Amino acid sequence: MSKNQTVKPKYLSDGEVRKEGGYAKTIYQTLHYAYKPFLARIVFVLILGFLGRGLLLANTNVIGYWVDSLIGKHSPVSDLSSLQIIGLLLGMALTGFVSTMIFRVSFSRLSAKAISSFYDEVTLRTSRLPMSFFDKTPAGRIITRFSSDYGNVFRLFGGPLAEFLSIIFDLIMMTILITIANPIYLLLVVFIGVLNFGVYKLNQDRLRKARRELSASRSPSIAHFAETTQGASTIRSFRRQESFKERFESLDRYFLSQKLFTTKQLISFSFQMNSMTAFLLLITGVASYFMVEKGWASVGSVGVAFTFISLSGNTVQMFFEWLTQFEEAMIGVERLDQYMRMDIEEGNYLPSTAHFATGHPTYDPTAEKYLAHRRLTEDRSASVEINNLWFRYRDDLPWVLKNLNFEVKAGERLGIVGRTGSGKSSLIQALFHLYPISKGLISINNHPPKIKAEDKGVDLNLYRQSMAFISQEPILFQGTLRFNLDIEGHHKDESLHEVLQKVGLLEWVQAHPDSLNMKIEERGKNLSLGERQLLCMARCLLQQSPIVIMDEATSSVDPQSEEILVRATEEFFADRTQIIIAHRLSTLAKCDRILWLQNGEVIALGPTAEVLPKFKKAELV
Ligand SMILES: Nc1ncnc2c1ncn2[C@@H]1O[C@H](COP(=O)(O)OP(=O)(O)OP(=O)(O)O)[C@@H](O)[C@H]1O
Ligand SMILES: [Mg+2]
């Protein structure tokens, strides 16, 4: 192990968290939540499966009895004719086969459902984690949990677990049946069990550690790959392909060395197990010889014992191979469970559809239903109050906004100016309460969001819904144009056409063969930046929120489209409260007031005609 640790790249150390020792205790609780709704059905099919495997294996015992009765020894089948015995064997095999099939199919289906519900619950919670989690965690690392780790989980719990259980049933049944054939063999079985378990225990920690290390070493290379594909054009223009390639290769080499190490551990384990089976068969042979010699065992029962012990060599080997997969799956469960147990952002709730009792605040169904139809205000505009606001992204980072105090009146149009990095976009983040506000208060129509249980205020989601936002980077999602405009699918085509008409995109959309079903690629990359901004504007129009916030919405459009956006602020949003951040000062000419920020502090706040010229003058110096 130490040899492998020396090649570990240093950036892994601040990456994945490695766990040592046993699984986190919570994962058993998690699996219980996942399987609970299916418990009765699962118990039924488990019993069916157990009996099915038993019937199939018990054929060996019947044959053993048959042999004994053929050589003239009394056995439970002595009174049956050969034809009857063959009938019995056929009946047992058929019933066993059908029961096993029903078990396999039903159990796989139920288990797949249970484990998918776990995935859903993890997704529900991860999507509500605090923004600081997404700031600190590379996308690749999150993707690894939901792809490769979940892949390991589903690869077992999604079906093959039935196979693993069949093997366990076989081992239990073999023990029972061998004991029925001759109780003395139970001693041998216990001896074999202890030896196998000992070998497994000797290897267990090493195998588990190797597998955990393997899971953790996968994500840095995926994270780097994701980052590289996103920044491909920049990397090319700076001709930095080599250094990115080298970093990827070094991460990938590390992953491969881990893979090789894990494989070596597995091969060594498998070799130990194989050697042991050979040794055990030898012991069984010698022991049986003496037992028949001394009259302690019948020939039939020796046959049964030999069949089961040579069969069990294979089954035990398979059992441990499956145990390996099982452990890999459990580590996957553990890694997803870790995300599921994290605290979600303060003030937010899980939807009432969340079933796992993880202690996260969850909407009460009645409250959720009530909130779904409620708006913070039915008016067309709302006021925003900011009192003694101090804001920073994390406790260990410097203040980004320092003691802000102002009010935006309902229906007012406020422009925000300031040099780059002065805190304009951060003010919007604070308005949406995307990060915890450590000092001060922000409210809409004098309603602050309710963050802690003891706070007075309105539901955080209701509070956020009262603001529509066009960000500095227009955000579009993979899907159709219709989906991007109307994410919740509430609106009719006419309404969509109407807003597209307003932003000047209707002709462009109608000229496209798929019209509203036009495909939008990931992050809208098949559209120009201007088109993206106009679409976001259309989405904002559809939302009908009393407050509209625009961050640099006119930075990437041509003069004609800029005019549309400026018109939007003047006409379409005329009766809304507007907060507009712009570098292009012409965009702000029609604002009622201007807020000038510098290093997170308010330098001036007053009528446009007063503040804008001052800001222009200061900027030119
Ligand atoms: N997610 C973040 N985590 C930590 N610090 C951040 C984060 N986002 C912004 N900052 C910091 O906050 C400060 C203000 O950034 P902000 O984005 O608010 O500036 P801005 O006024 O919008 O600038 P621009 O005009 O360039 O858009 C900057 O120093 C920036 O480094
Ligand atoms: Mg900004």
mmCIF file of all heavy atoms in Angstrom, residues 135 393 397 400 419-426 435 472 552 583, ligand 1:
data_model
loop_
_atom_site.group_PDB
_atom_site.id
_atom_site.type_symbol
_atom_site.label_atom_id
_atom_site.label_comp_id
_atom_site.label_asym_id
_atom_site.label_seq_id
_atom_site.Cartn_x
_atom_site.Cartn_y
_atom_site.Cartn_z
ATOM 1 N N ASP A 135 -19.826 25.835 -4.644
ATOM 2 C CA ASP A 135 -18.627 26.648 -4.881
ATOM 3 C C ASP A 135 -17.377 25.832 -4.611
ATOM 4 O O ASP A 135 -16.388 25.937 -5.311
ATOM 5 C CB ASP A 135 -18.605 27.875 -3.937
ATOM 6 C CG ASP A 135 -19.607 28.938 -4.369
ATOM 7 O OD1 ASP A 135 -20.144 28.806 -5.488
ATOM 8 O OD2 ASP A 135 -19.843 29.886 -3.600
ATOM 9 N N TYR A 393 -19.150 35.593 1.270
ATOM 10 C CA TYR A 393 -19.503 34.283 0.726
ATOM 11 C C TYR A 393 -19.282 33.149 1.718
ATOM 12 O O TYR A 393 -19.981 32.156 1.689
ATOM 13 C CB TYR A 393 -18.742 34.027 -0.576
ATOM 14 C CG TYR A 393 -19.350 34.815 -1.722
ATOM 15 C CD1 TYR A 393 -18.872 36.076 -2.060
ATOM 16 C CD2 TYR A 393 -20.434 34.312 -2.420
ATOM 17 C CE1 TYR A 393 -19.456 36.805 -3.086
ATOM 18 C CE2 TYR A 393 -21.024 35.030 -3.444
ATOM 19 C CZ TYR A 393 -20.533 36.282 -3.776
ATOM 20 O OH TYR A 393 -21.126 36.989 -4.772
ATOM 21 N N LEU A 397 -13.941 34.345 4.442
ATOM 22 C CA LEU A 397 -13.635 35.267 3.345
ATOM 23 C C LEU A 397 -13.963 36.699 3.767
ATOM 24 O O LEU A 397 -14.757 36.920 4.676
ATOM 25 C CB LEU A 397 -14.457 34.881 2.103
ATOM 26 C CG LEU A 397 -14.083 33.547 1.446
ATOM 27 C CD1 LEU A 397 -15.027 33.235 0.298
ATOM 28 C CD2 LEU A 397 -12.633 33.589 0.948
ATOM 29 N N VAL A 400 -17.915 41.333 1.372
ATOM 30 C CA VAL A 400 -18.077 41.776 -0.019
ATOM 31 C C VAL A 400 -19.052 42.955 -0.070
ATOM 32 O O VAL A 400 -18.924 43.849 -0.894
ATOM 33 C CB VAL A 400 -18.582 40.594 -0.885
ATOM 34 C CG1 VAL A 400 -18.891 41.046 -2.282
ATOM 35 C CG2 VAL A 400 -17.556 39.477 -0.906
ATOM 36 N N ARG A 419 -17.424 49.670 -10.260
ATOM 37 C CA ARG A 419 -16.349 49.020 -11.012
ATOM 38 C C ARG A 419 -16.482 47.507 -10.886
ATOM 39 O O ARG A 419 -17.169 47.017 -9.994
ATOM 40 C CB ARG A 419 -14.985 49.447 -10.451
ATOM 41 C CG ARG A 419 -14.833 50.916 -10.416
ATOM 42 C CD ARG A 419 -13.725 51.484 -11.206
ATOM 43 N NE ARG A 419 -12.987 50.591 -12.056
ATOM 44 C CZ ARG A 419 -11.714 50.793 -12.333
ATOM 45 N NH1 ARG A 419 -11.071 51.781 -11.759
ATOM 46 N NH2 ARG A 419 -11.089 50.007 -13.164
ATOM 47 N N THR A 420 -15.778 46.828 -11.737
ATOM 48 C CA THR A 420 -15.852 45.373 -11.683
ATOM 49 C C THR A 420 -15.347 44.877 -10.315
ATOM 50 O O THR A 420 -14.394 45.424 -9.772
ATOM 51 C CB THR A 420 -15.076 44.764 -12.881
ATOM 52 O OG1 THR A 420 -15.358 43.396 -12.917
ATOM 53 C CG2 THR A 420 -13.583 44.968 -12.789
ATOM 54 N N GLY A 421 -16.057 43.928 -9.759
ATOM 55 C CA GLY A 421 -15.682 43.407 -8.431
ATOM 56 C C GLY A 421 -16.183 44.256 -7.279
ATOM 57 O O GLY A 421 -15.857 43.981 -6.123
ATOM 58 N N SER A 422 -17.015 45.266 -7.567
ATOM 59 C CA SER A 422 -17.454 46.152 -6.474
ATOM 60 C C SER A 422 -18.565 45.529 -5.632
ATOM 61 O O SER A 422 -18.898 46.037 -4.571
ATOM 62 C CB SER A 422 -17.906 47.494 -7.041
ATOM 63 O OG SER A 422 -18.922 47.276 -7.987
ATOM 64 N N GLY A 423 -19.160 44.442 -6.135
ATOM 65 C CA GLY A 423 -20.161 43.749 -5.317
ATOM 66 C C GLY A 423 -21.575 43.805 -5.881
ATOM 67 O O GLY A 423 -22.534 43.460 -5.190
ATOM 68 N N LYS A 424 -21.706 44.208 -7.156
ATOM 69 C CA LYS A 424 -23.049 44.360 -7.740
ATOM 70 C C LYS A 424 -23.772 43.007 -7.820
ATOM 71 O O LYS A 424 -24.896 42.875 -7.336
ATOM 72 C CB LYS A 424 -22.951 45.006 -9.139
ATOM 73 C CG LYS A 424 -22.234 46.350 -9.147
ATOM 74 C CD LYS A 424 -22.189 46.972 -10.522
ATOM 75 C CE LYS A 424 -21.378 46.199 -11.541
ATOM 76 N NZ LYS A 424 -19.945 46.097 -11.280
ATOM 77 N N SER A 425 -23.093 42.031 -8.438
ATOM 78 C CA SER A 425 -23.748 40.714 -8.556
ATOM 79 C C SER A 425 -23.936 40.081 -7.183
ATOM 80 O O SER A 425 -24.912 39.358 -6.950
ATOM 81 C CB SER A 425 -22.929 39.775 -9.437
ATOM 82 O OG SER A 425 -22.791 40.331 -10.715
ATOM 83 N N SER A 426 -22.990 40.365 -6.275
ATOM 84 C CA SER A 426 -23.111 39.800 -4.926
ATOM 85 C C SER A 426 -24.368 40.326 -4.236
ATOM 86 O O SER A 426 -25.013 39.598 -3.466
ATOM 87 C CB SER A 426 -21.891 40.145 -4.087
ATOM 88 O OG SER A 426 -20.737 39.706 -4.738
ATOM 89 N N TYR A 435 -26.817 32.810 -0.099
ATOM 90 C CA TYR A 435 -25.793 32.517 0.920
ATOM 91 C C TYR A 435 -26.351 33.027 2.245
ATOM 92 O O TYR A 435 -27.177 33.949 2.252
ATOM 93 C CB TYR A 435 -24.489 33.252 0.586
ATOM 94 C CG TYR A 435 -23.825 32.730 -0.654
ATOM 95 C CD1 TYR A 435 -24.226 33.171 -1.916
ATOM 96 C CD2 TYR A 435 -22.820 31.778 -0.580
ATOM 97 C CE1 TYR A 435 -23.641 32.672 -3.070
ATOM 98 C CE2 TYR A 435 -22.221 31.276 -1.723
ATOM 99 C CZ TYR A 435 -22.634 31.726 -2.965
ATOM 100 O OH TYR A 435 -22.057 31.219 -4.097
ATOM 101 N N GLN A 472 -26.022 37.629 -15.334
ATOM 102 C CA GLN A 472 -24.899 38.062 -16.151
ATOM 103 C C GLN A 472 -24.578 36.989 -17.194
ATOM 104 O O GLN A 472 -24.247 37.279 -18.318
ATOM 105 C CB GLN A 472 -23.702 38.243 -15.210
ATOM 106 C CG GLN A 472 -22.635 39.163 -15.721
ATOM 107 C CD GLN A 472 -21.770 39.700 -14.574
ATOM 108 O OE1 GLN A 472 -21.969 39.371 -13.409
ATOM 109 N NE2 GLN A 472 -20.818 40.526 -14.911
ATOM 110 N N GLU A 552 -26.382 42.975 -16.069
ATOM 111 C CA GLU A 552 -25.640 43.108 -17.332
ATOM 112 C C GLU A 552 -26.400 42.484 -18.495
ATOM 113 O O GLU A 552 -25.792 41.899 -19.380
ATOM 114 C CB GLU A 552 -24.297 42.369 -17.231
ATOM 115 C CG GLU A 552 -23.421 42.837 -16.115
ATOM 116 C CD GLU A 552 -22.621 44.057 -16.494
ATOM 117 O OE1 GLU A 552 -22.890 44.624 -17.575
ATOM 118 O OE2 GLU A 552 -21.765 44.447 -15.702
ATOM 119 N N HIS A 583 -22.999 47.969 -17.160
ATOM 120 C CA HIS A 583 -21.745 48.695 -17.387
ATOM 121 C C HIS A 583 -21.988 49.771 -18.431
ATOM 122 O O HIS A 583 -21.401 50.839 -18.392
ATOM 123 C CB HIS A 583 -20.657 47.738 -17.861
ATOM 124 C CG HIS A 583 -19.986 47.021 -16.721
ATOM 125 N ND1 HIS A 583 -19.068 46.039 -16.898
ATOM 126 C CD2 HIS A 583 -20.119 47.149 -15.381
ATOM 127 C CE1 HIS A 583 -18.652 45.593 -15.725
ATOM 128 N NE2 HIS A 583 -19.301 46.251 -14.786
HETATM 129 N N1 LIG B 1 -18.954 32.643 -5.260
HETATM 130 C C1 LIG B 1 -18.040 33.465 -4.733
HETATM 131 N N2 LIG B 1 -17.266 33.058 -3.711
HETATM 132 C C2 LIG B 1 -16.364 33.862 -3.166
HETATM 133 N N3 LIG B 1 -16.148 35.121 -3.548
HETATM 134 C C3 LIG B 1 -16.873 35.611 -4.570
HETATM 135 C C4 LIG B 1 -17.868 34.809 -5.209
HETATM 136 N N4 LIG B 1 -18.437 35.543 -6.185
HETATM 137 C C5 LIG B 1 -17.840 36.768 -6.142
HETATM 138 N N5 LIG B 1 -16.912 36.815 -5.177
HETATM 139 C C6 LIG B 1 -16.072 37.977 -4.813
HETATM 140 O O1 LIG B 1 -16.935 39.027 -4.452
HETATM 141 C C7 LIG B 1 -16.452 40.269 -4.932
HETATM 142 C C8 LIG B 1 -17.550 41.006 -5.669
HETATM 143 O O2 LIG B 1 -17.878 40.256 -6.831
HETATM 144 P P1 LIG B 1 -19.156 40.583 -7.706
HETATM 145 O O3 LIG B 1 -19.370 39.450 -8.636
HETATM 146 O O4 LIG B 1 -20.267 40.950 -6.823
HETATM 147 O O5 LIG B 1 -18.674 41.867 -8.508
HETATM 148 P P2 LIG B 1 -19.459 42.718 -9.623
HETATM 149 O O6 LIG B 1 -19.594 44.073 -9.086
HETATM 150 O O7 LIG B 1 -20.671 42.013 -10.034
HETATM 151 O O8 LIG B 1 -18.384 42.706 -10.785
HETATM 152 P P3 LIG B 1 -18.619 42.656 -12.376
HETATM 153 O O9 LIG B 1 -18.959 44.042 -12.785
HETATM 154 O O10 LIG B 1 -17.293 42.254 -12.890
HETATM 155 O O11 LIG B 1 -19.689 41.700 -12.653
HETATM 156 C C9 LIG B 1 -15.257 39.962 -5.805
HETATM 157 O O12 LIG B 1 -14.097 40.314 -5.077
HETATM 158 C C10 LIG B 1 -15.301 38.470 -6.005
HETATM 159 O O13 LIG B 1 -14.022 37.920 -6.007
#
